[in-house]
Each structure stands twice: as structure tokens, then as C-alpha cells.
Amino acid sequence: NGARIRLSPQKDWEANDPADLANVLGKLEGIRGDFNAKHTETPVSMADLIVLAGGAAIEEAAKKGGHAVKVPFSPGRTDSSAEQTDEESFSVLEPATDGFRNHVSAGSKRAASVEEQLVESFSVLEPATDGFRNHVSAGSKRAASVEEQLVDRAQMLKLTSSEMTALVGGLRVLDANTAQSQVGVLTKTPGTLTNDFFVNLLDLSTSWQKKSENLFEARHPSTGEVMWTGTGADLVFGSNSELTSSEMTALVGGLRVLDANTAQSQLGVLTKTPGILTNDFFVNLLDLNTSWQKKSENLFEASHSSTGVLMWTGTGADLVFGSNSELRAIAEYYACDDSKESFVEDFVAAWAKVMNLDRFDLA
């Protein structure tokens, strides 16, 4: 982080609305200058102020919707300088698309689908690693880590995070590793389907230490005895803090009604009261009185079923919450009249989680 959004190249990225961003940063710089002049011993960083300002805006938007919420804030971020920022390295990180803000770069080209890549070459199908069975080929030189490839393969298999977690935990205790490897078999009763993998992985009485490139050992803190061994594909279940499906759904739905799209695009802003934190996105997305039709590559229109009047427009990043079975179940819950407060609370929690993803100093 380091408030690099105020530095090149991020301040000029299309997805960041450069003109609006410059205006906002200018106002925040003024606030920061006034505050620090009066509080010389406890100055605020721009990194902290940006996050704090976002939280304040969310609290105000929730208040307009009749909900009193407090967005958690943990100070302590520091600011990076231009000298500490390699523009060339950061340039490759510019997003071609951003589903959270319904942005697609004008020059964005659709990546080949999984099916197209498979047809192109069957020779790449031999797995260099298999996180499900804790296997790493002797000659593997893949850039991605074992745990990253595990997640990629789970996505290709259409597994949710919960399904992948259950499947790996079960395969470990069932002793299903390649070549009967005992790495990651965190149980005293291999072959019996239990929850031992998770119990022992998260046991606070053991301490995991890295021994080599892809081997970790868990030792008892008092005796130093080696209790278990595992790979990155095992430890990822104790270290990964990615957004859950529910958190992503709440975050996107909230950002849409808060009118936070790139370039103030109204695509997916399914509300008559933009800027107010409500569950309108889900209510209107799933409204049975409207019919969604594809108009172009990434544009959909919702018309009233009876009158044909155009009601809303959206993208695939919006309609996925109505077409994906897992996400639709969450969307239907948030669309309920008695879920309004729950949605606001979940949005605030997801927002706070994202704001603290770079805070490795926090417990």
C-alpha cells in the first residue's frame, strides 16, 4: 500500500479515474496538512487518511439508509515515496478489468477460455504438481507455488473454497497422497475419514517452520518434537485470508449502490438512490418483473416484463450474482426485507477486511 495510489503509475491508471482521484487526493492533502500542523507528535499518513476517509463515507451512506454503523479502523500505515516505487514494475499491475467497479479497459482483450487452452495443447496437461495428492514432480520448475496451483486446479474443477477445503482435508486423512507420502497426513488414524487434518493443522500447541522449498515441519513448542510435516498446499488452509463468496457478494452489491464504478458508469447501479448503502442491488437484480437480455459483448439490459420499459443496465460482473448458484443463494438472502441490516453489517466487515489485507502487523 503506502498510499501509492497518489504516485505514478497508479495515479494515472484508467481504472482509478485520474481526474477525480487528483481532486480527492488534493482535498485529503489539505486535511492532512491542517491536522499534522496541530498534531506534530501524532501526524497522520496519507495511507491512513485514505482508508479513514473511505470508512467515513461508508458510515454516512449507511446512515442515509437508516443504519448506524461503525467502520473499524486501525491506524499505523506509512507512506511510500516515489523513490521507493519502481514505476516500470508497477506498470504491469494495471488492471485491464475490475469487476468490483464494473470497469473494462478500452484495450482489454478476452483471455482464452480454459477449453480453448486445452484444445491448443494437450501436452501441458501432465501435472507438474498436484496439491490434492501433495505431489510435486522432481523436474517441476513452475513459477506458481504449489498452493497457487492447487487453487487454480480447484477452480478448473468448479470447486468452491469450501468444497476444495473439505476435499483436500479428506484426501489427506484418507492417506491418498502420491507414492503414499506422509507429508500433510495430519492424523494418527490414516484411512479413517475424520476432521483431524484441520484439528492438527490449526493446533496452537504446535509451531510450523519452513525446512526447505516446499517442506514444513510442525514441532511441539515445549519438547521440540516433530509432530507433522506438510507442504504449502497444506498450510494454505491456515494462512489464506481471501474473500469468501459472501464477502465478495456483499462488497460488490454495496459498491454498486454507493455509485463507486469507474468513470461514474451507471452499469450495475441498480438503485434509485445512489450513494446510500442499501440492498437495492440484489432486490432489483432478482426482480421477477424484469427480464435481462444481452445487448453486446459485456452489456445487458433489464426491461420490464409487461411494458418493455428499460429499467437497468449491467455487465457480466453484475449478472453473475443471479446466474451462479452459490452467489445467487447469497444474493437472495441479501434481497430479503429482513436482511437489510445484515447486508450493511456484512459489507462493512468485508470492506474492513480488504482495507487491512496489507496490515501484517495486526494480529
Side-chain angles (χ1 to χ4, degrees), residues 154-203:
Q155 290 175 335
M156 291 175 67
L157 294 172
K158 308 299 184 183
L159 294 174
T160 65
S161 297
S162 298
E163 291 168 338
M164 178 187 72
T165 302
L167 194 58
V168 171
L171 288 172
R172 291 293 187 273
V173 297
L174 289 176
D175 203 13
N177 285 349
T178 298
Q180 294 295 295
S181 165
Q182 292 303 293
V183 176
V185 183
L186 312 184
T187 181
K188 296 297 185 183
T189 58
T192 303
L193 190 55
T194 66
N195 67 339
D196 286 358
F197 175 81
F198 306 105
V199 172
N200 293 314
L201 175 67
L202 304 176
D203 185 357

Side-chain angles (χ1 to χ4, degrees), residues 23 34 87 109 126 144 159 165 169 208 249 259 266 308 341 344:
N23 182 43
D34 292 341
E87 288 191 38
K109 295 182 179 179
E126 181 179 2
L159 294 174
T165 302
W208 286 91
T249 302
D259 204 13
Q266 293 304 293
E341 186 172 352
V344 171

Side-chain angles (χ1 to χ4, degrees), residues 219-267:
R219 294 178 179 271
H220 194 284
S222 301
T223 65
E225 176 189 1
V226 176
M227 306 292 290
W228 313 103
T229 58
T231 69
D234 300 312
L235 271 65
V236 68
F237 295 100
S239 62
N240 184 278
S241 59
E242 66 179 17
L243 288 178
T244 64
S245 297
S246 297
E247 291 169 336
M248 179 186 71
T249 302
L251 199 56
V252 171
L255 289 173
R256 291 294 187 273
V257 297
L258 289 177
D259 204 13
N261 284 348
T262 298
Q264 295 296 294
S265 164
Q266 293 304 293
L267 294 175

Side-chain angles (χ1 to χ4, degrees), residues 111-131:
S113 67
V114 173
E115 294 81 2
E116 290 168 339
Q117 294 177 52
L118 289 178
V119 171
E120 180 182 349
S121 177
F122 276 87
S123 64
V124 300
L125 293 180
E126 181 179 2
T129 69
D130 181 355

Side-chain angles (χ1 to χ4, degrees), residues 21-255:
L21 176 61
N23 182 43
V24 172
L25 289 176
K27 293 181 179 179
L28 291 181
E29 284 285 9
I31 295 173
R32 177 173 176 259
D34 292 341
F35 179 89
N36 289 349
K38 299 175 182 178
H39 304 82
T40 56
E41 295 185 1
T42 56
V44 64
S45 67
M46 271 297 289
D48 268 345
L49 188 56
I50 290 170
V51 174
L52 183 61
I58 290 171
E59 290 177 357
E60 180 62 23
K63 182 179 179 180
K64 291 178 181 178
H67 304 282
V69 297
K70 185 71 174 178
V71 178
F73 172 72
S74 300
R77 299 168 183 82
T78 57
D79 294 333
S80 297
S81 65
E83 291 73 25
Q84 296 171 319
T85 305
D86 185 338
E87 288 191 38
E88 185 176 352
S89 296
F90 271 87
S91 293
V92 300
L93 301 177
E94 181 175 4
T97 66
D98 182 358
F100 284 99
R101 299 187 63 206
N102 242 348
H103 167 70
V104 178
S105 174
S108 176
K109 295 182 179 179
R110 182 182 65 88
S113 67
V114 173
E115 294 81 2
E116 290 168 339
Q117 294 177 52
L118 289 178
V119 171
E120 180 182 349
S121 177
F122 276 87
S123 64
V124 300
L125 293 180
E126 181 179 2
T129 69
D130 181 355
F132 286 100
R133 300 185 65 204
N134 244 348
H135 165 69
V136 178
S137 172
S140 175
K141 295 182 180 179
R142 298 290 291 275
S145 66
V146 174
E147 52 269 31
E148 289 170 335
Q149 293 179 60
L150 168 64
V151 173
D152 285 344
R153 191 172 186 192
Q155 290 175 335
M156 291 175 67
L157 294 172
K158 308 299 184 183
L159 294 174
T160 65
S161 297
S162 298
E163 291 168 338
M164 178 187 72
T165 302
L167 194 58
V168 171
L171 288 172
R172 291 293 187 273
V173 297
L174 289 176
D175 203 13
N177 285 349
T178 298
Q180 294 295 295
S181 165
Q182 292 303 293
V183 176
V185 183
L186 312 184
T187 181
K188 296 297 185 183
T189 58
T192 303
L193 190 55
T194 66
N195 67 339
D196 286 358
F197 175 81
F198 306 105
V199 172
N200 293 314
L201 175 67
L202 304 176
D203 185 357
L204 296 179
S205 67
T206 57
S207 176
W208 286 91
Q209 299 293 328
K210 186 172 184 177
K211 300 303 294 181
S212 61
E213 180 61 30
N214 193 44
L215 179 64
F216 297 80
E217 290 182 347
R219 294 178 179 271
H220 194 284
S222 301
T223 65
E225 176 189 1
V226 176
M227 306 292 290
W228 313 103
T229 58
T231 69
D234 300 312
L235 271 65
V236 68
F237 295 100
S239 62
N240 184 278
S241 59
E242 66 179 17
L243 288 178
T244 64
S245 297
S246 297
E247 291 169 336
M248 179 186 71
T249 302
L251 199 56
V252 171
L255 289 173

